[in-house]
Amino acid sequence: MALPTKTLAQHLDPAATPKRILALDGGGVRGALTLVVRASTAAPYYFKPYPLHVTLHDAENSQPIKGTFADGGVSTANNPALQALMVATLNGFRLNWQMGEDKLLVASLGTGRPNPNRRPTSLTAKHAVNSLLSVMDDAAALVETTMQWMSEGETARTIDSEIEKLEGDIVGISSTPMLTYRRYDVEFSTDWLKEHLDCAMSEKEVSQLEEIGTLAASRQLHDHSFPDVFDLS
């Protein structure tokens, strides 16, 4: 997300942060940034859930609330673009950024979409894991659909065969884009890679993620993708 010309310290000032949160693990808001990052990236299997104590300041004699946090990817924020938009614009978060195609730019970088043609499995445990992954994929797709619905952009992808890219669909009465949205991602299937990146790979070769990422960036990212109005240099 493109930041206005303010320092990070200003954005972390208690007067401009969510009104209910005062401190994490006894520290101030500024000192909490590393804790928030650690807690929100605690991916299951790779990292243990991260415990935090959240202190509220809008209640008398508030006691810390103990919570255990995992990676946001296992929630509806697998694609956090919509959540970031809400934090930037909803009154309760006190940032109060203005909406508008020339006022707000959200650039979302994906880590790759799985091939939707998953092979069925008879193993109950693996089936349960695949079901969770499907829920995460559906949540990410819903966020992407909503963001495309609120904007017009060159990176809009076909969501499905019915709504396609939502071309001509803009939410609201005015039919004016509410923001500029850019989404950069790839689908790890041989057909998608061939069609969009002209990259012929076998299923085994698709595992070469770094090569795919570099190729996708060279094809998808362009200087003109980011309007001059968002140039803060």
Side-chain angles (χ1 to χ4, degrees):
M1 179 176 292
L3 294 175
T5 52
K6 295 181 179 179
T7 65
L8 181 60
Q10 286 176 303
H11 280 285
L12 293 178
D13 190 88
T17 53
K19 57 187 178 183
R20 289 181 59 81
I21 297 180
L22 175 64
L24 297 177
D25 278 0
V29 175
R30 288 180 175 80
L33 182 58
T34 55
L35 301 180
V36 171
V37 172
R38 172 64 180 87
S40 63
T41 55
Y45 180 79
Y46 298 101
F47 301 101
K48 294 180 179 180
Y50 195 77
L52 280 179
H53 294 75
V54 181
T55 303
L56 308 181
H57 70 69
D58 63 348
E60 294 183 5
N61 302 318
S62 177
Q63 296 296 318
I65 297 175
K66 299 178 181 179
T68 302
F69 297 82
D71 193 306
V74 296
S75 71
T76 55
N78 192 20
N79 177 349
L82 182 58
Q83 181 65 40
L85 177 64
M86 293 167 61
V87 170
T89 59
L90 294 182
N91 290 332
F93 292 106
R94 298 187 178 185
L95 293 179
N96 299 321
W97 292 8
Q98 293 184 338
M99 298 280 281
E101 188 177 16
D102 61 347
K103 296 179 180 178
L104 191 60
L105 167 65
V106 177
S108 177
L109 305 180
T111 56
R113 300 187 304 277
N115 185 343
N117 297 317
R118 290 199 178 98
R119 296 177 181 177
T121 176
S122 59
L123 297 178
T124 303
K126 188 173 182 179
H127 182 72
V129 171
N130 287 342
S131 297
L132 175 60
L133 292 176
S134 294
V135 171
M136 294 167 58
D137 294 341
D138 288 345
L142 179 59
V143 168
E144 197 164 352
T145 301
T146 303
M147 297 298 291
Q148 288 185 194
W149 191 18
M150 301 171 66
S151 64
E152 287 185 340
E154 60 188 40
T155 61
R157 73 173 179 91
T158 299
I159 302 298
D160 58 38
S161 60
E162 294 179 316
I163 61 176
E164 298 182 340
K165 294 183 178 181
L166 287 85
E167 293 175 325
D169 287 317
I170 297 294
V171 67
I173 300 176
S174 65
S175 297
T176 300
M178 304 173 71
L179 70 152
T180 295
Y181 178 60
R182 299 287 185 263
R183 173 69 174 175
Y184 303 100
D185 206 0
V186 300
E187 180 181 298
F188 293 128
S189 68
T190 54
D191 291 342
W192 191 96
L193 294 172
K194 178 62 178 178
E195 177 182 354
H196 295 275
L197 301 182
D198 194 25
C199 177
M201 284 188 168
S202 67
E203 292 288 349
K204 183 177 181 180
E205 291 173 324
V206 169
S207 62
Q208 300 172 352
L209 305 183
E210 183 176 358
E211 180 180 341
I212 293 174
T214 301
L215 180 59
S218 67
R219 297 290 183 90
Q220 296 178 351
L221 273 74
H222 310 282
D223 290 339
H224 67 261
S225 300
F226 302 91
D228 292 339
V229 67
F230 297 109
D231 186 356
L232 303 181
S233 61

